């Protein structure tokens, strides 16, 4: 709820409001009289707090009062400290009423999933075949695509791994899981896998023997006569695959077939109060309609993980806690730390505690119960809000989400991250209107309207929800129009390069 363009309530039940511009004593905002100056981006009390009472923002506990706080007072480091670990507001695990719109136009696949695009993938098993895969995609788009108008394009999926790696290691297992996830992705109407021939990551790991084999083919460059001959061989093999995929047509499908990957990058002071919570509203609407949303980036939920654990089953909660412990050890072993207190700049912008900072990222998940917790790139088949482990580095996190089954991505940004992810359309959500005006060729939605009092978070979330469905139905995103996606496939690399 916005009070003109001056103040914002992020979630029902919050005990603080957000000043969107400097507030002066005597003003009435969100039903309370401002008692003292409140800088823009900072919090003010909506009700009286005694010492020890929880401070609730985003519908969650972000700290506790260290002194009595009267309605209208500035709420910040002078009267707020960290709350006890695991303390929650008791408002998690709820969903809105399902939206009226519960269908989109997608491509039904034989495994029961749905595609939002109908690409053909040219997948490299190893870095050594990446240049050839790029050449194959260029030639196929120039020579074959005009013959098959119902195909969205031939896209190369290339990377820098596949050899010089121990086959028994976790890193190799992750690479295989990611590549299999892309091989089977519903946004691919067909796939050609290309290896060199002598690499560790052999094509035999990816052979298909089921009914999809007519849409899949593979070969090694060394076995067909070299690079130029590999391109000629590829075009021959791609023609029947393309003919098969060209038969595919969009049909009306339920929203339960949508799997949304949620990302944030290049965040600013508005991300946590406009774009992220608005995406949380859209995520809740999607889940209420039977769809799936994926939250990831474990290092960026650190300090707020107990809020997700409180929304999960005991088993999934323990698994998420184990992931946090793994990351603590992983970063410690590499001379780093997950525990970052708010910087002076964060505090000047109104961030009071590390929990509040993490809540800005977790806000993308809305208030739905956590239905499952998965490892990186694990196949996701069940509905609901799902957590998937990943680094905070956006291309790596998004690659894992796509491999897990995401067929559309929503990416919030305040500074202007430029991103797209083949074969999945990526929507960019600007947290502020200045970014929207400066980078309209990259941004799909302006969430800065929330800060300007033009729309509520609920209205903004509904707009995002409908944009997700429109994009899933074939409307091209800004990143697709520009041509992003060829260089954004980045599997998580763990372990030694041998």
């Amino acid at each position: 709820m916005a009070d003109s363009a001056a103040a914002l309530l992020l979630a029902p039940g919050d005990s603080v409001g957000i000043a969107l511009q400097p507030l002066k004593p005597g003003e009435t905002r969100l039903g309370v009289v401002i008692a003292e100056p409140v800088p823009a981006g900072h919090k003010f009390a909506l009700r009286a707090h005694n010492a020890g009472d929880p401070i609730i923002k985003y519908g969650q506990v972000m700290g506790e009062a260290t002194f009595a706080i009267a309605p209208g007072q500035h709420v910040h480091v002078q009267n707020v400290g960290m709350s006890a670990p695991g303390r929650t507001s008791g408002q998690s695990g709820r969903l809105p009423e399902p939206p009226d719109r519960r269908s989109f136009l997608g491509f039904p696949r034989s495994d029961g999933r749905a595609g939002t695009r109908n690409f053909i993938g040219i997948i490299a098993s190893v870095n050594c075949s990446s240049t050839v895969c790029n050449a194959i995609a260029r030639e196929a788009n120039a020579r074959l695509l005009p013959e098959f108008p119902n195909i969205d394009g031939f896209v190369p999926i290339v990377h820098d791994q596949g050899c010089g790696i121990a086959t028994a290691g976790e890193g190799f297992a992750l690479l295989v899981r990611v590549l299999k996830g892309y091989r089977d992705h519903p946004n691919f109407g067909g796939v050609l896998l290309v290896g060199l021939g002598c690499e560790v990551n052999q094509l035999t790991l990816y052979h298909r023997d089921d009914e999809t084999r007519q849409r899949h083919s593979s070969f090694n460059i060394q076995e067909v006569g070299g690079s130029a001959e590999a391109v000629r061989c590829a075009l021959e093999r791609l023609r029947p695959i393309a003919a098969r995929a060209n038969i595919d047509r969009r049909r009306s499908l339920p929203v339960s077939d949508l799997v949304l990957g949620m990302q944030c990058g290049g965040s600013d002071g508005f991300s946590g109060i406009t774009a992220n919570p608005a995406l949380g509203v859209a995520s809740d609407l999607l889940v209420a309609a039977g769809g799936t949303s994926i939250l990831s980036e474990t290092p960026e939920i650190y300090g707020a993980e107990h809020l997700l654990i409180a929304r999960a089953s005991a088993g999934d909660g323990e698994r998420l806690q184990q992931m946090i412990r793994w990351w603590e050890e992983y970063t410690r072993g590499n001379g780093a730390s997950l525990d970052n207190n708010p910087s002076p700049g964060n505090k000047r912008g109104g961030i009071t505690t590390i929990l509040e900072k993490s809540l800005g990222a977790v806000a993308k998940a809305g208030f739905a119960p956590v239905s499952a917790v998965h490892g990186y790139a694990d196949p996701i088949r069940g509905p609901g809000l799902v957590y998937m482990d990943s680094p905070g580095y956006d291309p790596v996190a998004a690659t894992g989400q796509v491999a897990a089954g995401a067929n559309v991505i929503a990416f919030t940004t305040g500074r202007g991250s430029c991103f797209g992810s083949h074969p999945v359309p990526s929507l960019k959500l600007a947290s502020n209107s200045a970014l929207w005006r400066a980078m309209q060729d990259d941004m799909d939605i302006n969430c800065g309207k929330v800060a300007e009092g033009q729309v509520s978070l609920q209205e903004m979330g509904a707009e995002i929800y409908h944009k997700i469905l429109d994009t899933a139905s074939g409307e091209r995103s800004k990143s697709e129009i520009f041509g992003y996606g060829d260089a954004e496939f980045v599997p998580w690399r763990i372990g030694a390069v041998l």
Side-chain angles (χ1 to χ4, degrees):
M1 179 176 70
D3 186 349
S4 180
L8 178 68
L9 179 68
L10 287 173
D14 279 3
S15 68
V16 293
I18 311 299
L20 298 177
Q21 64 186 36
L23 302 182
K24 299 177 181 178
E27 297 181 33
T28 299
R29 299 297 177 193
L30 299 177
V32 301
V33 178
I34 302 302
E36 56 188 339
V38 181
H42 286 236
K43 301 172 290 297
F44 60 93
L46 296 177
R47 56 177 181 261
H49 297 73
N50 295 318
D53 284 352
I55 306 296
I56 301 174
K57 181 182 177 183
Y58 303 108
Q60 305 288 358
V61 176
M62 53 138 287
E64 63 181 37
T66 52
F67 299 95
I69 305 173
Q73 280 193 300
H74 181 207
V75 176
H76 199 31
V77 293
Q78 76 279 1
N79 50 23
V80 176
M82 278 295 292
S83 61
R87 190 172 183 183
T88 69
S89 68
Q91 295 183 339
S92 300
R94 66 182 192 274
L95 284 173
E97 289 296 315
D100 292 335
R101 184 182 178 189
R102 302 183 207 174
S103 64
F104 73 103
L105 296 175
F107 297 95
R109 301 303 188 191
S110 60
D111 64 357
R113 294 188 292 168
T116 60
R117 296 293 183 268
N118 193 32
F119 286 110
I120 291 179
I122 317 297
I123 301 179
S125 68
V126 65
N127 173 257
C128 308
S129 60
S130 291
T131 295
V132 168
C133 285
N134 282 320
I136 292 169
R138 285 195 302 271
E139 287 296 306
N141 282 315
R143 295 166 58 182
L144 294 182
L145 189 59
E147 301 178 29
F148 302 106
N150 293 318
I151 295 173
D152 289 311
F154 297 82
V155 298
I157 302 297
V158 300
H159 53 97
D160 66 352
Q161 298 187 45
C163 208
I165 185 171
T167 58
E170 186 176 11
F172 184 71
L174 286 181
L175 177 63
V176 172
R177 192 155 72 230
V178 167
L179 290 178
K180 286 184 176 180
Y182 273 69
R183 177 199 65 183
D184 301 337
H185 199 279
N187 280 15
F188 281 139
V191 165
L192 173 67
L193 290 107
V194 181
L196 178 60
C198 56
E199 64 269 18
V200 170
N201 188 34
Q202 289 285 299
L203 288 180
T204 53
L205 293 166
Y206 304 96
H207 287 170
R208 296 291 300 263
D209 294 320
D210 57 16
E211 70 278 3
T212 66
R213 63 185 180 275
Q214 294 177 326
R215 293 175 179 260
H216 291 77
S217 186
S218 63
F219 65 80
N220 287 314
I221 297 168
Q222 294 168 345
E223 296 169 2
V224 298
S227 301
E229 189 60 34
V231 176
R232 288 190 288 272
C233 177
L235 294 183
E236 291 177 1
R237 297 196 181 203
L238 284 171
R239 186 176 294 279
I241 293 174
R244 193 85 175 179
N246 196 57
I247 299 172
D248 300 334
R249 297 291 188 277
R250 291 186 182 273
R251 285 171 33 192
S252 180
L253 299 173
V255 168
S256 56
D257 285 340
L258 282 182
V259 183
L260 173 68
M262 298 184 290
Q263 294 289 320
C264 62
S267 299
D268 72 346
F270 285 99
S271 295
I273 61 176
T274 60
N276 286 0
L279 179 55
V281 172
S283 173
D284 281 348
L285 290 171
L286 183 67
V287 172
T292 304
S293 289
I294 309 173
L295 179 69
S296 299
E297 301 178 296
T298 308
E300 298 190 5
I301 67 159
Y302 189 66
E305 69 274 5
H306 65 276
L307 301 175
L308 293 172
I309 291 170
R311 297 155 64 173
S313 68
D316 284 331
E318 176 56 29
R319 188 170 188 201
L320 180 54
Q321 189 62 62
Q322 288 174 356
M323 290 174 180
I324 294 293
R325 290 194 288 265
W326 184 93
W327 274 98
E328 289 173 332
E329 291 297 322
Y330 181 63
T331 52
R332 189 179 302 118
N334 286 278
S337 172
L338 286 174
D339 189 8
N340 274 321
N341 289 319
S343 68
N346 292 149
K347 293 179 180 179
R348 284 193 297 272
I351 301 297
T352 304
T353 66
I354 181 61
L355 178 53
E356 181 182 9
K357 189 176 180 182
S358 296
L359 283 171
V362 173
K364 299 191 300 293
F367 298 99
V370 176
S371 64
V373 175
H374 288 273
Y376 182 78
D378 279 343
I380 293 172
R381 300 292 184 264
L385 172 64
V386 174
Y387 189 83
M388 186 201 80
D389 187 27
S390 84
Y393 183 40
D394 303 311
V396 177
T399 294
Q401 290 181 335
V402 172
N407 51 18
V408 64
I409 287 175
F411 191 125
T412 69
T413 183
R415 301 292 296 170
S417 293
C418 296
F419 183 81
S421 182
H422 278 146
V424 173
S426 301
L427 291 169
K428 303 301 290 301
L429 281 56
S431 73
N432 62 85
S433 295
L435 171 62
W436 168 257
R437 289 189 292 269
M439 297 181 66
Q440 285 199 38
D441 289 339
D442 292 279
M443 300 296 122
D444 296 278
I445 297 177
N446 178 22
C447 297
K449 293 184 293 184
V450 174
E452 295 171 348
Q454 298 181 39
V455 297
S456 68
L457 279 172
Q458 286 67 36
E459 291 169 331
M460 191 76 249
E463 179 179 334
I464 295 169
Y465 172 78
H466 289 292
K467 188 72 169 180
I468 290 169
L469 269 59
D470 290 342
T471 303
S473 298
E475 182 180 292
R476 298 176 73 198
S477 67
K478 298 288 183 66
S479 63
E480 287 182 290
I481 292 170
F482 185 83
Y484 276 100
D486 288 354
E488 286 74 22
F489 176 73
V490 188
W492 187 5
R493 181 192 291 273
I494 297 177
V497 177
L498 303 177

